[in-house]
mmCIF file with all atom_site columns, all heavy atoms in Angstrom:
data_model
loop_
_atom_site.group_PDB
_atom_site.id
_atom_site.type_symbol
_atom_site.label_atom_id
_atom_site.label_alt_id
_atom_site.label_comp_id
_atom_site.label_asym_id
_atom_site.label_entity_id
_atom_site.label_seq_id
_atom_site.pdbx_PDB_ins_code
_atom_site.Cartn_x
_atom_site.Cartn_y
_atom_site.Cartn_z
_atom_site.occupancy
_atom_site.B_iso_or_equiv
_atom_site.pdbx_formal_charge
_atom_site.auth_seq_id
_atom_site.auth_comp_id
_atom_site.auth_asym_id
_atom_site.auth_atom_id
_atom_site.pdbx_PDB_model_num
ATOM 1   N N   . LEU A 1 75 ? 77.224 -115.739 -96.004  1.00 0.00 ? 75 LEU A N   1
ATOM 2   C CA  . LEU A 1 75 ? 77.636 -117.057 -96.451  1.00 0.00 ? 75 LEU A CA  1
ATOM 3   C C   . LEU A 1 75 ? 79.051 -117.349 -95.950  1.00 0.00 ? 75 LEU A C   1
ATOM 4   O O   . LEU A 1 75 ? 79.989 -116.620 -96.263  1.00 0.00 ? 75 LEU A O   1
ATOM 5   C CB  . LEU A 1 75 ? 77.619 -117.151 -97.973  1.00 0.00 ? 75 LEU A CB  1
ATOM 6   C CG  . LEU A 1 75 ? 78.059 -118.517 -98.505  1.00 0.00 ? 75 LEU A CG  1
ATOM 7   C CD1 . LEU A 1 75 ? 76.884 -119.241 -99.138  1.00 0.00 ? 75 LEU A CD1 1
ATOM 8   C CD2 . LEU A 1 75 ? 79.193 -118.387 -99.481  1.00 0.00 ? 75 LEU A CD2 1
ATOM 9   N N   . THR A 1 76 ? 79.170 -118.396 -95.151  1.00 0.00 ? 76 THR A N   1
ATOM 10  C CA  . THR A 1 76 ? 80.477 -118.880 -94.734  1.00 0.00 ? 76 THR A CA  1
ATOM 11  C C   . THR A 1 76 ? 80.806 -120.058 -95.624  1.00 0.00 ? 76 THR A C   1
ATOM 12  O O   . THR A 1 76 ? 80.037 -121.012 -95.710  1.00 0.00 ? 76 THR A O   1
ATOM 13  C CB  . THR A 1 76 ? 80.455 -119.319 -93.249  1.00 0.00 ? 76 THR A CB  1
ATOM 14  O OG1 . THR A 1 76 ? 80.053 -118.202 -92.454  1.00 0.00 ? 76 THR A OG1 1
ATOM 15  C CG2 . THR A 1 76 ? 81.823 -119.807 -92.802  1.00 0.00 ? 76 THR A CG2 1
ATOM 16  N N   . PHE A 1 77 ? 81.938 -119.968 -96.309  1.00 0.00 ? 77 PHE A N   1
ATOM 17  C CA  . PHE A 1 77 ? 82.360 -121.029 -97.218  1.00 0.00 ? 77 PHE A CA  1
ATOM 18  C C   . PHE A 1 77 ? 83.680 -121.601 -96.735  1.00 0.00 ? 77 PHE A C   1
ATOM 19  O O   . PHE A 1 77 ? 84.621 -120.855 -96.466  1.00 0.00 ? 77 PHE A O   1
ATOM 20  C CB  . PHE A 1 77 ? 82.501 -120.492 -98.647  1.00 0.00 ? 77 PHE A CB  1
ATOM 21  C CG  . PHE A 1 77 ? 82.915 -121.537 -99.638  1.00 0.00 ? 77 PHE A CG  1
ATOM 22  C CD1 . PHE A 1 77 ? 82.127 -122.658 -99.860  1.00 0.00 ? 77 PHE A CD1 1
ATOM 23  C CD2 . PHE A 1 77 ? 84.097 -121.411 -100.348 1.00 0.00 ? 77 PHE A CD2 1
ATOM 24  C CE1 . PHE A 1 77 ? 82.520 -123.638 -100.771 1.00 0.00 ? 77 PHE A CE1 1
ATOM 25  C CE2 . PHE A 1 77 ? 84.486 -122.378 -101.261 1.00 0.00 ? 77 PHE A CE2 1
ATOM 26  C CZ  . PHE A 1 77 ? 83.697 -123.495 -101.464 1.00 0.00 ? 77 PHE A CZ  1
ATOM 27  N N   . GLU A 1 78 ? 83.734 -122.934 -96.625  1.00 0.00 ? 78 GLU A N   1
ATOM 28  C CA  . GLU A 1 78 ? 84.930 -123.597 -96.123  1.00 0.00 ? 78 GLU A CA  1
ATOM 29  C C   . GLU A 1 78 ? 85.334 -124.749 -97.045  1.00 0.00 ? 78 GLU A C   1
ATOM 30  O O   . GLU A 1 78 ? 84.506 -125.547 -97.458  1.00 0.00 ? 78 GLU A O   1
ATOM 31  C CB  . GLU A 1 78 ? 84.673 -124.142 -94.712  1.00 0.00 ? 78 GLU A CB  1
ATOM 32  C CG  . GLU A 1 78 ? 85.887 -124.785 -94.084  1.00 0.00 ? 78 GLU A CG  1
ATOM 33  C CD  . GLU A 1 78 ? 85.678 -125.191 -92.633  1.00 0.00 ? 78 GLU A CD  1
ATOM 34  O OE1 . GLU A 1 78 ? 84.530 -125.127 -92.135  1.00 0.00 ? 78 GLU A OE1 1
ATOM 35  O OE2 . GLU A 1 78 ? 86.672 -125.580 -92.003  1.00 0.00 ? 78 GLU A OE2 1
ATOM 36  N N   . HIS A 1 79 ? 86.619 -124.798 -97.346  1.00 0.00 ? 79 HIS A N   1
ATOM 37  C CA  . HIS A 1 79 ? 87.187 -125.932 -98.098  1.00 0.00 ? 79 HIS A CA  1
ATOM 38  C C   . HIS A 1 79 ? 87.592 -126.953 -97.038  1.00 0.00 ? 79 HIS A C   1
ATOM 39  O O   . HIS A 1 79 ? 88.582 -126.778 -96.340  1.00 0.00 ? 79 HIS A O   1
ATOM 40  C CB  . HIS A 1 79 ? 88.393 -125.459 -98.901  1.00 0.00 ? 79 HIS A CB  1
ATOM 41  C CG  . HIS A 1 79 ? 88.987 -126.485 -99.828  1.00 0.00 ? 79 HIS A CG  1
ATOM 42  N ND1 . HIS A 1 79 ? 89.097 -127.822 -99.531  1.00 0.00 ? 79 HIS A ND1 1
ATOM 43  C CD2 . HIS A 1 79 ? 89.506 -126.346 -101.080 1.00 0.00 ? 79 HIS A CD2 1
ATOM 44  C CE1 . HIS A 1 79 ? 89.670 -128.453 -100.529 1.00 0.00 ? 79 HIS A CE1 1
ATOM 45  N NE2 . HIS A 1 79 ? 89.922 -127.585 -101.495 1.00 0.00 ? 79 HIS A NE2 1
ATOM 46  N N   . VAL A 1 80 ? 86.821 -128.017 -96.906  1.00 0.00 ? 80 VAL A N   1
ATOM 47  C CA  . VAL A 1 80 ? 87.041 -129.007 -95.850  1.00 0.00 ? 80 VAL A CA  1
ATOM 48  C C   . VAL A 1 80 ? 88.037 -130.093 -96.261  1.00 0.00 ? 80 VAL A C   1
ATOM 49  O O   . VAL A 1 80 ? 88.320 -130.994 -95.470  1.00 0.00 ? 80 VAL A O   1
ATOM 50  C CB  . VAL A 1 80 ? 85.714 -129.648 -95.378  1.00 0.00 ? 80 VAL A CB  1
ATOM 51  C CG1 . VAL A 1 80 ? 84.823 -128.601 -94.713  1.00 0.00 ? 80 VAL A CG1 1
ATOM 52  C CG2 . VAL A 1 80 ? 84.983 -130.329 -96.525  1.00 0.00 ? 80 VAL A CG2 1
ATOM 53  N N   . GLY A 1 81 ? 88.584 -129.997 -97.456  1.00 0.00 ? 81 GLY A N   1
ATOM 54  C CA  . GLY A 1 81 ? 89.579 -130.963 -97.903  1.00 0.00 ? 81 GLY A CA  1
ATOM 55  C C   . GLY A 1 81 ? 90.973 -130.583 -97.442  1.00 0.00 ? 81 GLY A C   1
ATOM 56  O O   . GLY A 1 81 ? 91.156 -129.686 -96.618  1.00 0.00 ? 81 GLY A O   1
ATOM 57  N N   . LYS A 1 82 ? 91.957 -131.270 -97.998  1.00 0.00 ? 82 LYS A N   1
ATOM 58  C CA  . LYS A 1 82 ? 93.351 -131.040 -97.618  1.00 0.00 ? 82 LYS A CA  1
ATOM 59  C C   . LYS A 1 82 ? 94.209 -130.568 -98.782  1.00 0.00 ? 82 LYS A C   1
ATOM 60  O O   . LYS A 1 82 ? 95.331 -130.126 -98.582  1.00 0.00 ? 82 LYS A O   1
ATOM 61  C CB  . LYS A 1 82 ? 93.939 -132.340 -97.054  1.00 0.00 ? 82 LYS A CB  1
ATOM 62  C CG  . LYS A 1 82 ? 93.259 -132.748 -95.763  1.00 0.00 ? 82 LYS A CG  1
ATOM 63  C CD  . LYS A 1 82 ? 93.909 -133.957 -95.152  1.00 0.00 ? 82 LYS A CD  1
ATOM 64  C CE  . LYS A 1 82 ? 93.119 -134.307 -93.972  1.00 0.00 ? 82 LYS A CE  1
ATOM 65  N NZ  . LYS A 1 82 ? 93.291 -134.946 -92.928  1.00 0.00 ? 82 LYS A NZ  1
ATOM 66  N N   . MET A 1 83 ? 93.696 -130.668 -99.996  1.00 0.00 ? 83 MET A N   1
ATOM 67  C CA  . MET A 1 83 ? 94.504 -130.332 -101.168 1.00 0.00 ? 83 MET A CA  1
ATOM 68  C C   . MET A 1 83 ? 94.666 -128.824 -101.324 1.00 0.00 ? 83 MET A C   1
ATOM 69  O O   . MET A 1 83 ? 93.814 -128.044 -100.891 1.00 0.00 ? 83 MET A O   1
ATOM 70  C CB  . MET A 1 83 ? 93.883 -130.951 -102.418 1.00 0.00 ? 83 MET A CB  1
ATOM 71  C CG  . MET A 1 83 ? 93.858 -132.473 -102.371 1.00 0.00 ? 83 MET A CG  1
ATOM 72  S SD  . MET A 1 83 ? 93.009 -133.164 -103.790 1.00 0.00 ? 83 MET A SD  1
ATOM 73  C CE  . MET A 1 83 ? 94.392 -133.880 -104.622 1.00 0.00 ? 83 MET A CE  1
ATOM 74  N N   . SER A 1 84 ? 95.748 -128.441 -101.979 1.00 0.00 ? 84 SER A N   1
ATOM 75  C CA  . SER A 1 84 ? 96.081 -127.023 -102.126 1.00 0.00 ? 84 SER A CA  1
ATOM 76  C C   . SER A 1 84 ? 95.133 -126.305 -103.086 1.00 0.00 ? 84 SER A C   1
ATOM 77  O O   . SER A 1 84 ? 94.440 -126.929 -103.890 1.00 0.00 ? 84 SER A O   1
ATOM 78  C CB  . SER A 1 84 ? 97.510 -126.888 -102.644 1.00 0.00 ? 84 SER A CB  1
ATOM 79  O OG  . SER A 1 84 ? 97.575 -127.312 -103.997 1.00 0.00 ? 84 SER A OG  1
ATOM 80  N N   . LYS A 1 85 ? 95.189 -125.000 -103.015 1.00 0.00 ? 85 LYS A N   1
ATOM 81  C CA  . LYS A 1 85 ? 94.394 -124.140 -103.897 1.00 0.00 ? 85 LYS A CA  1
ATOM 82  C C   . LYS A 1 85 ? 94.767 -124.371 -105.365 1.00 0.00 ? 85 LYS A C   1
ATOM 83  O O   . LYS A 1 85 ? 93.900 -124.371 -106.243 1.00 0.00 ? 85 LYS A O   1
ATOM 84  C CB  . LYS A 1 85 ? 94.645 -122.684 -103.490 1.00 0.00 ? 85 LYS A CB  1
ATOM 85  C CG  . LYS A 1 85 ? 94.081 -121.635 -104.396 1.00 0.00 ? 85 LYS A CG  1
ATOM 86  C CD  . LYS A 1 85 ? 94.419 -120.263 -103.837 1.00 0.00 ? 85 LYS A CD  1
ATOM 87  C CE  . LYS A 1 85 ? 94.379 -119.198 -104.882 1.00 0.00 ? 85 LYS A CE  1
ATOM 88  N NZ  . LYS A 1 85 ? 94.684 -117.875 -104.349 1.00 0.00 ? 85 LYS A NZ  1
ATOM 89  N N   . GLU A 1 86 ? 96.052 -124.610 -105.632 1.00 0.00 ? 86 GLU A N   1
ATOM 90  C CA  . GLU A 1 86 ? 96.509 -124.816 -107.003 1.00 0.00 ? 86 GLU A CA  1
ATOM 91  C C   . GLU A 1 86 ? 96.051 -126.159 -107.576 1.00 0.00 ? 86 GLU A C   1
ATOM 92  O O   . GLU A 1 86 ? 95.848 -126.292 -108.778 1.00 0.00 ? 86 GLU A O   1
ATOM 93  C CB  . GLU A 1 86 ? 98.045 -124.733 -107.065 1.00 0.00 ? 86 GLU A CB  1
ATOM 94  C CG  . GLU A 1 86 ? 98.614 -123.365 -106.716 1.00 0.00 ? 86 GLU A CG  1
ATOM 95  C CD  . GLU A 1 86 ? 98.583 -123.032 -105.223 1.00 0.00 ? 86 GLU A CD  1
ATOM 96  O OE1 . GLU A 1 86 ? 98.578 -123.954 -104.381 1.00 0.00 ? 86 GLU A OE1 1
ATOM 97  O OE2 . GLU A 1 86 ? 98.536 -121.832 -104.906 1.00 0.00 ? 86 GLU A OE2 1
ATOM 98  N N   . THR A 1 87 ? 95.899 -127.155 -106.707 1.00 0.00 ? 87 THR A N   1
ATOM 99  C CA  . THR A 1 87 ? 95.522 -128.499 -107.142 1.00 0.00 ? 87 THR A CA  1
ATOM 100 C C   . THR A 1 87 ? 94.019 -128.725 -107.126 1.00 0.00 ? 87 THR A C   1
ATOM 101 O O   . THR A 1 87 ? 93.457 -129.329 -108.035 1.00 0.00 ? 87 THR A O   1
ATOM 102 C CB  . THR A 1 87 ? 96.171 -129.554 -106.225 1.00 0.00 ? 87 THR A CB  1
ATOM 103 O OG1 . THR A 1 87 ? 97.570 -129.315 -106.173 1.00 0.00 ? 87 THR A OG1 1
ATOM 104 C CG2 . THR A 1 87 ? 95.920 -130.962 -106.711 1.00 0.00 ? 87 THR A CG2 1
ATOM 105 N N   . MET A 1 88 ? 93.351 -128.266 -106.050 1.00 0.00 ? 88 MET A N   1
ATOM 106 C CA  . MET A 1 88 ? 91.925 -128.542 -105.843 1.00 0.00 ? 88 MET A CA  1
ATOM 107 C C   . MET A 1 88 ? 91.270 -127.323 -105.188 1.00 0.00 ? 88 MET A C   1
ATOM 108 O O   . MET A 1 88 ? 90.624 -127.419 -104.161 1.00 0.00 ? 88 MET A O   1
ATOM 109 C CB  . MET A 1 88 ? 91.770 -129.792 -104.969 1.00 0.00 ? 88 MET A CB  1
ATOM 110 C CG  . MET A 1 88 ? 90.348 -130.284 -104.762 1.00 0.00 ? 88 MET A CG  1
ATOM 111 S SD  . MET A 1 88 ? 89.479 -130.807 -106.230 1.00 0.00 ? 88 MET A SD  1
ATOM 112 C CE  . MET A 1 88 ? 90.325 -132.324 -106.611 1.00 0.00 ? 88 MET A CE  1
ATOM 113 N N   . GLY A 1 89 ? 91.448 -126.158 -105.796 1.00 0.00 ? 89 GLY A N   1
ATOM 114 C CA  . GLY A 1 89 ? 90.855 -124.944 -105.254 1.00 0.00 ? 89 GLY A CA  1
ATOM 115 C C   . GLY A 1 89 ? 89.346 -124.941 -105.405 1.00 0.00 ? 89 GLY A C   1
ATOM 116 O O   . GLY A 1 89 ? 88.794 -125.559 -106.318 1.00 0.00 ? 89 GLY A O   1
ATOM 117 N N   . HIS A 1 90 ? 88.670 -124.261 -104.476 1.00 0.00 ? 90 HIS A N   1
ATOM 118 C CA  . HIS A 1 90 ? 87.213 -124.132 -104.542 1.00 0.00 ? 90 HIS A CA  1
ATOM 119 C C   . HIS A 1 90 ? 86.809 -122.691 -104.233 1.00 0.00 ? 90 HIS A C   1
ATOM 120 O O   . HIS A 1 90 ? 87.434 -122.015 -103.419 1.00 0.00 ? 90 HIS A O   1
ATOM 121 C CB  . HIS A 1 90 ? 86.514 -125.042 -103.525 1.00 0.00 ? 90 HIS A CB  1
ATOM 122 C CG  . HIS A 1 90 ? 86.711 -126.496 -103.755 1.00 0.00 ? 90 HIS A CG  1
ATOM 123 N ND1 . HIS A 1 90 ? 86.632 -127.091 -104.997 1.00 0.00 ? 90 HIS A ND1 1
ATOM 124 C CD2 . HIS A 1 90 ? 86.989 -127.495 -102.885 1.00 0.00 ? 90 HIS A CD2 1
ATOM 125 C CE1 . HIS A 1 90 ? 86.851 -128.386 -104.884 1.00 0.00 ? 90 HIS A CE1 1
ATOM 126 N NE2 . HIS A 1 90 ? 87.079 -128.664 -103.612 1.00 0.00 ? 90 HIS A NE2 1
ATOM 127 N N   . ASN A 1 91 ? 85.730 -122.274 -104.873 1.00 0.00 ? 91 ASN A N   1
ATOM 128 C CA  . ASN A 1 91 ? 85.106 -120.992 -104.569 1.00 0.00 ? 91 ASN A CA  1
ATOM 129 C C   . ASN A 1 91 ? 83.600 -121.136 -104.734 1.00 0.00 ? 91 ASN A C   1
ATOM 130 O O   . ASN A 1 91 ? 83.096 -122.189 -105.122 1.00 0.00 ? 91 ASN A O   1
ATOM 131 C CB  . ASN A 1 91 ? 85.662 -119.868 -105.458 1.00 0.00 ? 91 ASN A CB  1
ATOM 132 C CG  . ASN A 1 91 ? 85.383 -120.057 -106.939 1.00 0.00 ? 91 ASN A CG  1
ATOM 133 O OD1 . ASN A 1 91 ? 84.751 -121.014 -107.373 1.00 0.00 ? 91 ASN A OD1 1
ATOM 134 N ND2 . ASN A 1 91 ? 85.881 -119.132 -107.739 1.00 0.00 ? 91 ASN A ND2 1
ATOM 135 N N   . PHE A 1 92 ? 82.892 -120.091 -104.395 1.00 0.00 ? 92 PHE A N   1
ATOM 136 C CA  . PHE A 1 92 ? 81.436 -120.012 -104.559 1.00 0.00 ? 92 PHE A CA  1
ATOM 137 C C   . PHE A 1 92 ? 81.190 -118.835 -105.477 1.00 0.00 ? 92 PHE A C   1
ATOM 138 O O   . PHE A 1 92 ? 81.620 -117.706 -105.186 1.00 0.00 ? 92 PHE A O   1
ATOM 139 C CB  . PHE A 1 92 ? 80.770 -119.782 -103.194 1.00 0.00 ? 92 PHE A CB  1
ATOM 140 C CG  . PHE A 1 92 ? 79.316 -119.378 -103.278 1.00 0.00 ? 92 PHE A CG  1
ATOM 141 C CD1 . PHE A 1 92 ? 78.314 -120.335 -103.315 1.00 0.00 ? 92 PHE A CD1 1
ATOM 142 C CD2 . PHE A 1 92 ? 78.951 -118.035 -103.298 1.00 0.00 ? 92 PHE A CD2 1
ATOM 143 C CE1 . PHE A 1 92 ? 76.975 -119.968 -103.384 1.00 0.00 ? 92 PHE A CE1 1
ATOM 144 C CE2 . PHE A 1 92 ? 77.606 -117.658 -103.358 1.00 0.00 ? 92 PHE A CE2 1
ATOM 145 C CZ  . PHE A 1 92 ? 76.622 -118.629 -103.395 1.00 0.00 ? 92 PHE A CZ  1
#
Side-chain angles (χ1 to χ4, degrees):
L75 179 112
T76 302
F77 181 60
E78 183 174 9
H79 186 322
V80 295
K82 295 185 184 201
M83 297 176 110
S84 70
K85 171 180 158 179
E86 295 75 25
T87 307
M88 185 63 71
H90 296 316
N91 63 1
F92 167 88

